[in-house]
Amino acid sequence: MYWSLLSIIFAIMSIVVTNLTKLYKEQKALNDVSFSITKGEVVGFLGPNGAGKSTLMKILTTYLPASKGNALVHGFSVAKAEKEVQKNVGYLPENNPLYLDMYVREYLSFNANIHGVSKDKIDEVIAQTGLTPEAHKKIEQLSKGYRQRVGLANALLHDPEVLLLDEPTTGLDPNQLIEIRELIKNIGKKQGKTVLLSTHIMQEVEAICDRVIIINKGEIVLDKSLQELSENKTQIVEVEFDYRVEEVALQRIDKVEKVENKEGFIYHIHFNTHADMRAKVFDFAHDNGLKILQLHQKNTTLEKLFVELTRATQK
């Protein structure tokens, strides 16, 4: 019964991180970090530079040992079953190390031999990552976007259950960004791979991910689905009147949560509804003989939330 229950849990959970801590001498790169990721989820791992993102990625690949705690990847411990973890993880590091003097197909063939996978898999990942028109070229001849595709193809060669992508779109131009984002989304959504995507770019998460985990100074400060964040957004209406208004009067408007006087006659009115409340503010002004000088929505974005959370923990 116990083992059958464990097998069900492992079938559902691709990554389980429990009380993970990493020390570099006196410095804590990770401090008691815990989270789990369900099979097939695409999760954005956000944080400022030095927050601990790359350290956690390296622990999950078994490249670095944890100081305390443990992590399971596809049910295997990173501390006790390194080879099994490595078989189930595809990793694209931030600097994407490639042998530039090798041809694309040659490079993938070299890595296929290391993994002991069929040569047929090379053609499969080349097609899968859109490398077909460039497969005959040397890697040094490729653009940054296509080099990232080679890195992704290499990470997919051994058909891993989990993909760990560390800053996969750094240095790409806008067109390359869109292409790589679509490629990662397809790998996660259509092929059922579990993807943990490390980045500090908010648009990346909103474009690709189901869920966001924000880390700062080695600690998790947020772990929520994108849908949950969207549903929980507070609608903020910024209004400037021609005259000072008592905040208590504005709080009588329907569905108001709080009112802030930002400066002068400018107010931020927070509503607990998704319905556009600007008409209600306009009616309030009309009923009270006020003129509106400006009126617009300032809803909370993921970027603002990120700044608030990371600044708060830095104080």
Side-chain angles (χ1 to χ4, degrees):
M1 177 70 177
Y2 174 75
W3 290 109
S4 62
L5 180 60
L6 275 184
S7 64
I8 292 170
I9 292 171
F10 292 154
I12 296 172
M13 294 297 178
S14 282
I15 299 174
V16 179
V17 175
T18 308
N19 305 122
L20 210 60
T21 296
K22 178 62 180 176
L23 296 168
Y24 293 107
K25 295 184 179 179
E26 300 298 317
Q27 181 182 353
K28 277 189 178 180
L30 295 172
N31 184 20
D32 200 32
V33 169
S34 298
F35 63 86
S36 59
I37 298 177
T38 306
K39 182 179 174 65
E41 265 193 301
V42 180
V43 178
F45 195 41
L46 278 170
N49 292 333
K53 301 188 302 297
S54 293
T55 296
L56 189 134
M57 288 276 194
K58 289 173 182 175
I59 290 173
L60 292 177
T61 62
T62 75
Y63 181 78
L64 281 179
S67 302
K68 293 179 184 176
N70 194 19
L72 302 179
V73 176
H74 196 57
F76 297 102
S77 167
V78 298
K80 298 178 181 178
E82 292 184 10
K83 292 296 182 185
E84 293 303 322
V85 171
Q86 291 164 11
K87 288 177 185 177
N88 285 283
V89 168
Y91 181 45
L92 179 61
E94 183 178 1
N95 58 0
N96 188 17
L98 300 168
Y99 295 120
L100 300 183
D101 58 339
M102 295 181 79
Y103 292 91
V104 171
R105 191 176 292 277
E106 179 188 12
Y107 173 74
L108 293 174
S109 179
F110 169 75
N111 284 289
N113 285 332
I114 293 173
H115 288 296
V117 300
S118 164
K119 291 292 190 291
D120 294 338
K121 190 67 179 176
I122 297 171
D123 292 323
E124 185 181 323
V125 296
I126 284 174
Q128 188 178 345
T129 54
L131 277 169
T132 303
E134 308 294 314
H136 64 287
K137 293 183 180 179
K138 280 192 172 183
I139 295 173
E140 66 183 2
Q141 296 176 291
L142 302 181
S143 67
K144 179 70 185 290
Y146 273 105
R147 290 186 189 188
Q148 290 297 83
R149 288 173 186 261
V150 174
L152 276 171
N154 184 49
L156 290 165
L157 260 178
H158 58 297
D159 197 24
E161 293 292 328
V162 176
L163 272 179
L164 303 176
L165 309 178
D166 196 355
E167 304 283 357
T169 60
T170 299
L172 301 185
D173 67 35
N175 289 329
Q176 294 168 339
L177 269 173
I178 293 169
E179 291 169 1
I180 295 299
R181 283 175 183 171
E182 284 301 311
L183 178 55
I184 294 169
K185 189 189 295 184
N186 286 339
I187 289 169
K189 305 294 185 187
K190 294 183 180 179
Q191 298 174 37
K193 303 291 184 188
T194 302
V195 180
L196 182 61
L197 169 76
S198 168
T199 183
H200 59 273
I201 303 171
M202 308 302 119
Q203 296 89 336
E204 206 98 285
V205 175
E206 292 175 323
I208 300 172
C209 300
D210 307 305
R211 175 176 151 210
V212 59
I213 297 173
I214 298 180
I215 187 171
N216 191 49
K217 291 193 171 182
E219 297 183 354
I220 303 292
V221 293
L222 180 81
D223 183 354
K224 288 189 177 182
S225 70
L226 269 292
Q227 182 179 352
E228 189 178 359
L229 285 175
S230 176
E231 288 172 352
N232 289 342
K233 275 184 181 177
T234 299
Q235 181 185 172
I236 302 171
V237 173
E238 182 177 84
V239 58
E240 182 178 7
F241 298 111
D242 64 336
Y243 196 77
R244 181 173 296 279
V245 179
E246 292 294 330
E247 293 178 24
V248 66
L250 290 168
Q251 286 170 348
R252 295 193 188 105
I253 300 174
D254 188 34
K255 299 188 185 302
V256 169
E257 283 190 331
K258 69 173 181 177
V259 176
E260 299 174 285
N261 182 203
K262 302 306 287 185
E263 60 174 308
F265 304 153
I266 299 175
Y267 298 84
H268 281 185
I269 308 173
H270 298 244
F271 293 92
N272 61 355
T273 176
H274 289 287
D276 190 342
M277 299 301 286
R278 285 175 293 180
K280 293 288 186 182
V281 177
F282 182 85
D283 289 343
F284 170 86
H286 177 268
D287 294 343
N288 289 275
L290 298 166
K291 291 181 181 177
I292 291 178
L293 305 182
Q294 60 168 317
L295 177 68
H296 57 268
Q297 290 177 314
K298 288 177 65 70
N299 290 350
T300 301
T301 64
L302 181 58
E303 184 173 13
K304 287 178 183 176
L305 183 60
F306 175 84
V307 170
E308 287 173 9
L309 289 169
T310 53
R311 277 184 180 169
T313 53
Q314 286 172 354
K315 291 179 180 178

